[in-house]
Amino acid sequence: MMKELEYPFESKYILRKKKTLKKLLLENQKNFRKLRIAVLGGSTTTDIIAVLELFLLNAGILPQFYESEYGKFWEDAVFGNDVLDSFCPEVVFIHTSFRNIKNFPAVLDTEEQVQYKLDEEFEHLRIAWESLRKRYNCVIIQNNFERPLLETLGNQDVSDFRGWANFTSRLNQKLYQYKQQTPNFFIHDLEGISGEYGLRKWQDLRYWYLYKYTLHMEAIPEFSYHLFTIIKSIYGKNKKLLILDADNTLWGGVIGDCGPEGIELGEETSKGQAFKEWQKYVKRLKQQGILLALASKNQTESVENGLAHPDSQLKIDDFSAKQVNWEDKASNIFSIISELNLGTDQAVFLDDNPVEREQVRMNLPEVTVPDASCPEQFIAYLREAHLFEVAAITEEDIKRTEMYHANQQREAQKLQFENYEEYLKSLEMKAEIQEFSSLYYDRITQLINKTNQFNLTTWRITEEEVKKLAGDENWICITGRLGDKFGDNGIVSVLMAELKGHTAHIRLLILSCRVFKRHMEYAMIDDFICRCKKRAIDEIIGYYYPTEKNKIVETLYKDLGFMMNSENIETQRTWKLKVEEYKKRNFVIDVEEKDE
């Protein structure tokens, strides 16, 4: 990771050094995920693309770009062309602004005339989106519309039906309604970004008249970064874990010195109010699926007393892992990450103490450690850096903390058994394995795009592609749900195989990290083999594409009885199995088929 491209960044530096930065990033590329992105612009987009590329490369995504001619976003979207069709984008970004609204209200318009113009503008965009979806089956990212600083009605421009600010606001609402009904359609919040940046500076007319840029040149890195955060969230590059110190991070004061009654938390002081609001913010993150953990140099009882404070919005059970002791923070954070079976690059650590922050940075460089030391800074950083950007919120996200607590109970039970298989049997596990269901398309897509460790091919696809392959008779697409006496883990596994003649090619096999070593992969393969027999499949080919993160599955096919078919150690290994030679592997999970 290049620090110059991590938030907060220096925009002028990025614009000045973008060619040098790109060269350095490409020199260090390894296991990049390739991604085809079409940028269809209603204004100039060249520098936006150049800076977006830097952020993507820094996150391990190697983009290829198609750029429309100036102002031809609608023509390319609706009619396509040979170059764009050949490019076949996976992601399309439509860069429009208020400059692309052709039918703003006139002062003499009636309400009916304004409504007609509003419907016409939305329909113009909808046709473009639907054409793209039909032709390319791709992810679409659409700017909403910023407020135009060309109003003539003064304060009434926002409320009068003829006001331009009122018109863009109502048009944005139609975009949001469409987004709620449409998978793989995302809104890039141009209105919010421009407002925070400052509309007067953002809409510097010189850049429009000279270069046909709708934004200030220095705002381009900010714009591109926000766009990047949407793309990274879609493809599983966002953070999953927030690790927090306690004293002067969750409350004001050192609880070991002043006791729970002496900490600042609540309405009595301005600092106490700030910490209370900060805890509410963290609680919302937890509710949308972000895991929380504690890393505090303290007495366990003191921290528990702090979280039991009547004004504390967070309780001890909100934390999926806790390391409260006098060891160094880096060691404790590494223990937390290992316990939760995550990567160091998926964690964010907040601590008011700059010495502790630096110690973690030096020892765990992949952990994000912002220079923030008070509640106001904590909130500002997490909100502006978009580290926990959400592509979709699923049932599993909402229940994630509960699921990790259940895992801790399982780990505690494991200590009672000397024989691991006996321990697994004691969990009384039950699995439901079924063909893809429309109820779970969101979760299936999320799991496919976010799973890196137990992922043999690291294949990434959109929700539209999930739907398409689910209905294709030449594919076997199954999901696995796993529960036990401690709770339900939800959808934890996906297997997708392409059928060619009498051979099945396993294109995707993934397993959530929270059910590692529970034999769910065996249950999935056992079920898959049965389905292959019903489809008269004689042979199965399995693929393994090595990455830095999926070494855990390097020997999976060998363990399942497959024979090596071909090998390129760095790029691909294939394994072959005769269906009739397969021997059942799962003896600890009770499996129920749920196909309708």
Side-chain angles (χ1 to χ4, degrees):
M1 296 286 285
M2 190 175 284
K3 294 296 182 184
E4 295 89 335
L5 295 169
E6 293 183 8
Y7 196 89
F9 44 79
E10 176 54 54
S11 293
K12 290 182 180 179
Y13 176 83
I14 291 175
L15 289 168
R16 189 173 68 251
K17 295 287 189 178
K18 57 182 181 290
K19 290 184 179 178
T20 302
L21 293 172
K22 178 180 176 179
K23 182 179 179 182
L24 291 171
L25 288 164
L26 289 173
E27 284 176 356
N28 296 316
Q29 68 166 299
K30 187 177 182 182
N31 294 318
F32 276 10
R33 190 252 191 255
K34 294 181 180 179
L35 188 65
R36 299 184 304 279
I37 304 173
V39 178
L40 309 186
S43 57
T44 304
T45 56
T46 304
D47 287 294
I48 289 171
I49 290 173
V51 177
L52 174 62
E53 182 177 27
L54 298 178
F55 289 123
L56 290 168
L57 289 170
N58 198 44
I61 298 174
L62 180 63
Q64 297 172 279
F65 288 102
Y66 168 91
E67 183 180 13
S68 72
E69 294 182 26
Y70 167 77
K72 297 295 184 182
F73 78 94
W74 196 83
E75 289 82 356
D76 273 3
V78 175
F79 304 114
N81 60 61
D82 291 343
V83 176
L84 181 56
D85 290 347
S86 176
F87 183 73
C88 192
E90 297 168 85
V91 175
V92 174
F93 168 53
I94 302 179
H95 177 51
T96 48
S97 72
F98 84 90
R99 295 283 182 182
N100 301 113
I101 297 176
K102 303 300 183 185
N103 292 298
F104 270 116
V107 176
L108 299 180
D109 281 347
T110 65
E111 263 192 271
E112 291 75 15
Q113 288 172 321
V114 173
Q115 184 63 50
Y116 177 82
K117 288 181 176 182
L118 182 66
D119 293 340
E120 191 175 51
E121 286 292 340
F122 175 75
E123 186 63 16
H124 186 70
L125 290 168
R126 191 194 66 79
I127 290 170
W129 305 329
E130 293 300 327
S131 298
L132 288 166
R133 284 161 53 83
K134 184 177 181 180
R135 184 179 294 111
Y136 306 120
N137 194 26
C138 59
V139 169
I140 299 171
I141 303 174
Q142 167 71 55
N143 281 346
N144 59 9
F145 293 94
E146 76 280 41
R147 179 173 176 172
L149 291 182
L150 297 171
E151 70 268 12
T152 60
L153 302 181
N155 285 297
Q156 306 312 309
D157 205 78
V158 71
S159 58
D160 192 288
F161 66 86
R162 292 157 294 199
W164 285 22
N166 180 279
F167 191 83
T168 54
S169 177
R170 291 168 64 193
L171 182 55
N172 282 340
Q173 287 301 317
K174 294 176 91 58
L175 266 62
Y176 307 151
Q177 290 168 9
Y178 181 87
K179 187 264 181 292
Q180 295 301 320
Q181 302 163 2
T182 310
N184 289 319
F185 182 85
F186 299 89
I187 298 294
H188 182 232
D189 188 15
L190 176 58
E191 181 186 32
I193 304 164
S194 61
E196 287 190 30
Y197 192 85
L199 275 173
R200 290 176 185 171
K201 187 175 181 182
W202 183 277
Q203 292 181 27
D204 190 325
L205 295 179
R206 294 172 300 168
Y207 289 97
W208 174 251
Y209 296 135
L210 286 172
Y211 312 115
K212 289 299 179 282
Y213 265 118
T214 61
L215 69 166
H216 195 289
M217 184 67 73
E218 291 177 12
I220 286 175
E222 193 80 19
F223 178 97
S224 297
Y225 178 80
H226 280 74
L227 178 58
F228 152 73
T229 63
I230 297 174
I231 297 172
K232 77 176 177 67
S233 71
I234 295 170
Y235 293 100
K237 296 287 185 178
N238 51 330
K239 306 295 182 181
K240 296 181 179 179
L241 171 65
L242 178 59
I243 306 172
L244 299 165
D245 177 41
D247 290 333
N248 291 309
T249 301
L250 287 175
W251 51 71
V254 178
I255 197 167
D257 293 337
C258 62
E261 66 281 353
I263 62 175
E264 291 192 88
L265 181 62
E267 301 301 321
E268 287 74 19
T269 67
S270 59
K271 184 182 285 188
Q273 292 170 27
F275 278 107
K276 183 176 180 180
E277 187 162 76
W278 160 233
Q279 285 201 19
K280 285 182 178 179
Y281 187 89
V282 174
K283 186 82 168 186
R284 291 202 302 275
L285 289 175
K286 181 249 180 184
Q287 289 169 347
Q288 68 190 44
I290 304 305
L291 294 172
L292 305 182
L294 276 170
S296 174
K297 288 183 176 178
N298 225 315
Q299 297 287 348
T300 300
E301 184 180 2
S302 296
V303 173
E304 290 177 347
N305 287 338
L307 292 169
H309 188 283
D311 283 308
S312 182
Q313 307 301 298
L314 296 167
K315 304 303 178 185
I316 194 69
D317 287 343
D318 287 321
F319 295 89
S320 298
K322 297 169 280 291
Q323 289 289 331
V324 181
N325 52 49
W326 301 104
E327 302 298 322
D328 69 277
K329 289 286 179 72
S331 297
N332 280 338
I333 288 170
F334 186 78
S335 295
I336 287 168
I337 292 170
S338 300
E339 178 186 340
L340 297 176
N341 215 353
L342 297 173
T344 52
D345 61 339
Q346 296 174 308
V348 180
F349 173 58
L350 290 177
D351 193 314
D352 68 292
N353 190 327
V355 175
E356 301 285 14
R357 297 198 299 262
E358 188 59 26
Q359 193 258 343
V360 173
R361 284 194 198 101
M362 290 178 64
N363 290 278
L364 297 171
E366 286 192 318
V367 174
T368 298
V369 186
D371 276 321
S373 56
C374 64
E376 303 93 314
Q377 292 176 357
F378 297 152
I379 292 173
Y381 181 88
L382 293 184
R383 189 182 64 80
E384 294 167 14
H386 289 254
L387 300 177
F388 300 115
E389 180 80 18
V390 172
I393 299 177
T394 66
E395 178 187 355
E396 278 76 8
D397 291 327
I398 294 170
K399 294 181 177 178
R400 183 167 288 129
T401 299
E402 178 185 325
M403 291 173 178
Y404 273 89
H405 284 315
N407 260 350
Q408 290 169 337
Q409 291 177 291
R410 295 178 189 106
E411 289 299 311
Q413 176 151 329
K414 186 193 299 184
L415 299 177
Q416 302 174 22
F417 291 86
E418 294 183 6
N419 182 287
Y420 187 70
E421 188 158 317
E422 289 302 314
Y423 155 69
L424 290 179
K425 289 179 180 177
S426 76
L427 295 177
E428 301 172 13
M429 291 183 286
K430 297 183 184 297
E432 296 176 0
I433 298 178
Q434 63 179 358
E435 295 176 354
F436 283 9
S437 166
S438 59
L439 291 174
Y440 304 119
Y441 284 155
D442 274 356
R443 172 58 179 166
I444 293 167
T445 306
Q446 182 189 71
L447 199 57
I448 289 172
N449 288 308
K450 290 188 176 183
T451 303
N452 295 305
Q453 295 180 76
F454 200 115
N455 188 335
L456 285 99
T457 56
T458 63
W459 185 35
R460 312 297 191 188
I461 59 175
T462 66
E463 189 171 331
E464 287 295 319
E465 290 171 307
V466 167
K467 289 181 181 179
K468 181 180 178 182
L469 295 178
D472 191 327
E473 63 179 12
N474 293 316
W475 284 76
I476 293 176
C477 301
I478 55 175
T479 59
R481 186 182 194 102
L482 184 64
D484 58 31
K485 65 183 182 182
F486 292 111
D488 181 11
N489 285 285
I491 302 295
V492 294
S493 186
V494 177
L495 187 153
M496 300 178 70
E498 185 179 10
L499 310 185
K500 293 184 176 181
H502 294 286
T503 301
H505 299 260
I506 300 178
R507 302 299 185 190
L508 181 81
L509 176 56
I510 56 178
L511 189 70
S512 169
C513 62
R514 61 175 173 258
V515 295
F516 280 5
K517 299 181 180 180
R518 303 267 299 279
H519 291 195
M520 186 60 185
E521 64 272 31
Y522 296 162
M524 290 290 287
I525 291 292
D526 285 357
D527 182 273
F528 172 63
I529 293 291
C530 291
R531 293 172 190 270
C532 285
K533 290 178 178 178
K534 292 176 183 177
R535 302 283 290 272
I537 298 298
D538 300 326
E539 185 178 65
I540 300 171
I541 305 294
Y543 298 85
Y544 170 62
Y545 302 148
T547 71
E548 291 181 354
K549 294 184 177 181
N550 73 354
K551 290 178 180 161
I552 190 174
V553 292
E554 186 174 16
T555 63
L556 176 67
Y557 282 124
K558 181 180 179 181
D559 297 341
L560 289 168
F562 284 65
M563 299 296 293
M564 178 75 77
N565 192 42
S566 65
E567 178 177 21
N568 182 320
I569 292 177
E570 292 187 356
T571 59
Q572 177 180 308
R573 302 171 203 176
T574 62
W575 299 78
K576 183 184 292 187
L577 174 77
K578 294 292 184 183
V579 171
E580 63 183 17
E581 296 175 358
Y582 180 76
K583 296 179 180 179
K584 182 181 178 181
R585 291 301 197 277
N586 166 46
F587 298 100
V588 296
I589 301 174
D590 182 15
V591 178
E592 178 184 359
E593 285 193 20
K594 295 285 288 185
D595 295 336
E596 296 178 359

